[in-house]
Every structure is written in structure tokens, then in C-alpha cells.
């Protein structure tokens, strides 16, 4: 089968298309014929070993000190089950699924555990749209619904609202009944409003924490806003959440866990069937909708990465692997 291969960390040029063995399932595994896979900021970080803050050393230890331990990258996917192990009961050949893998999604076929991060593809979505869901939508659910527990009527600010996680965070906060403020560029204002934002602030006009206003939740998806900066913009029971782990974040989490006042939060969005089923349920309810900006072929994977790095897309970059 065709698969993308990466033998070193670096720019998009380190990705090459090769022939690889077709996977065979064990007794408790399934094989998915990958129809589409997204190229996310997480994939970019793994390709370049661009691990933020204090995650640099653990990231290298887990994924490979000097080169990728797993040569076939790619994390999100959507496709059809084409083989099942002898003990598999959850899936059948022909099932349309979407999911998350640690690696291996940029290939024509992918082997997954039966109980891995795999769920049925929402019927109303194409394979390209379904492949665009797990990274951004799963992260938004983990942070806004599970971590900071956004409630109806609360004021929620999403920094980086036009990004891969921010777009889903705006939709989800709106669905949960919050009053949503989106922080992004003026060029993305119409997109943010279409996603459900009640108000849009241009990040280049003024820093939102200097406006003399407060929000119940500030979700920084851009990695550009620290708790210390926006503490004064949080209500008495306000919650700050960020995608970027650092010593400062850990300190603020420990410090604010005691006593009253705003608190800092961070979590790791865990890949699981339950989280994907929650995302699928939100799609079926009309709360979330992926936006595919550009589609590339598997042989154009380097171009897909360059497109992602160029930014300004307003949607996901997707690789179409098979029909």
C-alpha cells in the first residue's frame, strides 16, 4: 500500500510517499481503509519536533530522541472497516468510521484496536469532513465541556477563534448557551460570527484584558495569552484554560487551586471512543460542523503541510487518501 514516510524531524520536505506492507489485524484489531485524513497543528508539531514549553523533553522521549520512532505519521482519519480480528464484536466489515491514532493515518490502510479511539462516522458528513473533526472538536469538548464546565448564560471568550481548535470552541460555547466573544483578526470576523460568536474583537486593535470587562471563561487556543495577563478580565469565579503547558501554567494552577477567585486550568484531551462519540453526537445535534478549506492528495502531503503553515484558511487542511 501507499504510505507517507518520515525518517527525520524537519520541514514538509521530510515527508515522502513510499510503498509499505498492508496491515493485518490481530484477534482484537480492525483494519480501516483510510478515505481521508486531516493535517493538523498537532501533526505539524510532531513532524518538526516543535514541542512547546516543558513538553520538549517528554515529547522527544516518547516519540524519538533524534528521529521519529514511528515512520508513518498522521493522526486523524475517516474510512471504512475492511478487516476485523477473530474476537472483534464491535465492528463489522463495511462500517464507516472516524477516529484518532498516535500515528499511521497517512496511509491507505490503518490498523486500530477494537476499543481504540474509533467511532461511527456521522451520516451527514463526507469522509473529508469527518476526518477534520477529531483534533479540534475533541479538544474543544475536553476543555469547555469537561474541564471548565461552561454553563448557559456565562460569558466565554475564545482567543484564536479562527484556528483549528478555536472554530469548534466558538460553536460549542454557543451550543452550551454561553455568550461568546471571539478574538481573531478582522479578516476572520464574519467566519467567527457564522460559527456562533455574539461579538468579535480584533486582536490587533487592543488587548481584551485592557478593556475593563470580565468574562466567566477565557479559553486561549492560540498560546499567546497568559493567566497573569487576563486574570483581571475574569469574573470572581472565572476560569482560564490554555492549550499550552508551561511552568507558569502549572504554577498558576497550583496557586489558584486554593482559596477564592479566578482559576487556571489545563488538561490533555484524551483520545477515546467515548470522546469521539460525544463529538459525533454534537454533529448529529447540529452543534458542530467541520469546515474543510483545502484538500490534497496523499502524494501532495508536503504541499498540504505548507498550506497549513501559511495559515489564514478558516478551515481544515485534509488529505484525500482513497474514494
Amino acid at each position: 500500500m501507499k504510505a507517507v514516510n518520515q525518517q527525520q524531524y524537519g520541514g514538509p520536505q521530510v515527508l515522502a510517499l513510499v510503498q509499505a506492507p498492508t496491515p493485518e489485524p490481530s484477534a482484537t484489531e480492525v483494519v480501516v481503509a483510510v478515505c481521508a485524513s486531516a493535517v493538523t497543528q498537532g501533526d505539524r508539531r510532531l513532524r518538526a519536533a516543535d514541542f512547546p514549553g516543558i513538553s520538549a523533553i517528554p515529547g522527544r522521549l516518547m516519540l524519538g530522541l533524534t528521529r521519529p520512532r514511528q515512520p508513518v505519521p498522521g493522526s486523524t482519519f475517516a474510512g471504512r472497516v475492511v478487516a476485523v480480528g477473530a474476537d472483534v464484536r464491535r465492528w463489522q466489515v463495511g462500517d464507516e468510521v472516524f477516529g484518532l491514532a498516535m500515528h499511521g493515518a497517512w496511509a491507505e490502510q490503518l490498523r486500530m484496536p477494537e476499543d481504540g479511539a474509533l467511532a461511527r462516522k456521522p451520516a451527514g458528513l463526507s469522509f473529508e469532513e469527518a476526518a477534520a473533526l477529531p483534533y479540534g472538536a475533541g479538544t474543544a469538548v475536553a476543555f469547555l465541556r469537561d474541564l471548565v464546565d461552561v454553563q448557559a448564560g456565562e460569558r466565554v471568550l475564545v482567543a484564536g477563534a479562527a484556528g483549528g481548535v478555536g472554530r469548534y470552541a466558538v460553536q460549542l460555547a454557543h451550543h452550551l448557551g454561553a455568550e461568546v466573544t471571539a478574538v481573531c483578526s478582522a479578516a476572520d470576523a464574519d467566519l467567527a460570527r457564522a460559527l456562533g460568536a455574539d461579538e468579535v474583537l480584533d486582536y490587533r486593535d487592543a488587548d481584551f484584558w485592557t478593556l475593563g470587562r470580565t468574562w466567566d471563561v477565557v479559553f486561549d487556543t492560540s498560546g499567546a495569552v497568559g493567566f497573569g495577563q487576563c486574570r483581571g478580565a475574569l469574573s470572581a469565579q472565572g476560569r482560564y484554560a490554555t492549550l499550552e503547558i508551561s511552568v507558569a501554567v502549572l504554577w498558576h494552577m497550583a496557586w489558584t487551586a486554593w482559596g477564592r477567585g479566578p482559576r487556571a486550568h489545563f488538561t490533555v484531551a484524551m483520545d477515546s471512543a467515548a470522546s469521539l462519540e460525544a463529538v459525533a453526537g454534537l454533529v448529529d445535534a447540529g452543534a458542530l460542523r467541520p469546515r474543510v478549506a483545502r484538500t490534497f492528495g496523499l502524494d501532495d502531503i508536503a504541499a498540504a503541510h505548507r498550506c497549513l503553515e501559511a495559515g489564514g484558511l478558516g478551515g481544515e487542511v485534509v488529505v484525500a487518501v482513497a474514494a
Side-chain angles (χ1 to χ4, degrees), residues 33-310:
V34 179
C35 294
S37 178
V39 179
T40 70
Q41 288 294 340
D43 294 318
R44 181 198 63 77
R45 287 189 182 278
L46 296 180
R47 185 207 74 218
D50 178 19
F51 304 115
I54 60 175
S55 66
I57 294 177
R60 287 274 189 160
L61 289 174
M62 182 173 66
L63 299 173
L65 283 174
T66 61
R67 58 190 294 182
R69 188 170 290 117
Q70 299 292 340
V72 181
S75 56
T76 75
F77 62 91
R80 297 183 181 89
V81 174
V82 292
V84 298
D87 296 336
V88 171
R89 299 293 179 266
R90 185 180 171 207
W91 304 108
Q92 296 180 347
V93 171
D95 285 343
E96 296 185 347
V97 297
F98 75 116
L100 272 166
M102 287 295 295
H103 55 85
W106 294 340
E108 291 183 316
Q109 293 191 12
L110 168 68
R111 188 170 57 193
M112 288 286 293
E114 175 187 18
D115 59 355
L118 199 61
R120 297 190 184 280
K121 181 181 76 67
L125 298 186
S126 66
F127 286 109
E128 289 78 11
E129 289 172 323
L133 275 173
Y135 175 75
T139 301
V141 169
F143 275 79
L144 292 186
R145 190 195 68 174
D146 301 337
L147 180 64
V148 300
D149 190 23
V150 169
Q151 298 294 306
E154 289 193 312
R155 300 180 304 277
V156 174
L157 181 143
V158 179
V165 175
R167 290 189 297 271
Y168 292 104
V170 170
Q171 294 180 75
L172 180 59
H174 173 76
H175 172 72
L176 294 173
E179 179 183 322
V180 185
T181 299
V183 179
C184 56
S185 69
D188 291 318
D190 289 343
L191 168 63
R193 292 190 181 94
L195 294 173
D198 299 287
E199 176 187 27
V200 180
L201 301 178
D202 187 341
Y203 75 92
R204 291 172 294 193
D205 286 345
D207 295 325
F208 68 84
W209 58 87
T210 66
L211 301 178
R213 299 168 53 188
T214 60
W215 288 267
D216 299 298
V217 172
V218 169
F219 184 23
D220 173 31
T221 71
S222 64
V225 182
F227 176 77
Q229 292 171 302
C230 64
R231 188 176 190 278
L234 288 164
S235 63
Q237 301 302 317
R239 290 93 74 199
Y240 162 86
T242 178
L243 299 181
E244 300 284 350
I245 188 62
S246 65
V247 172
V249 170
L250 293 176
W251 162 248
H252 286 131
M253 287 173 61
W255 170 49
T256 60
W258 302 94
R260 299 178 179 178
R263 294 189 174 185
H265 297 273
F266 172 80
T267 191
V268 176
M270 300 303 293
D271 304 340
S272 69
S275 66
L276 291 174
E277 287 164 358
V279 167
L282 288 164
V283 171
D284 291 337
L288 298 180
R289 187 75 188 188
R291 299 173 65 93
V292 175
R294 291 285 306 276
T295 302
F296 293 82
L298 190 62
D299 56 346
D300 286 330
I301 188 67
H305 273 253
R306 287 191 289 270
C307 179
L308 177 76
E309 292 179 339

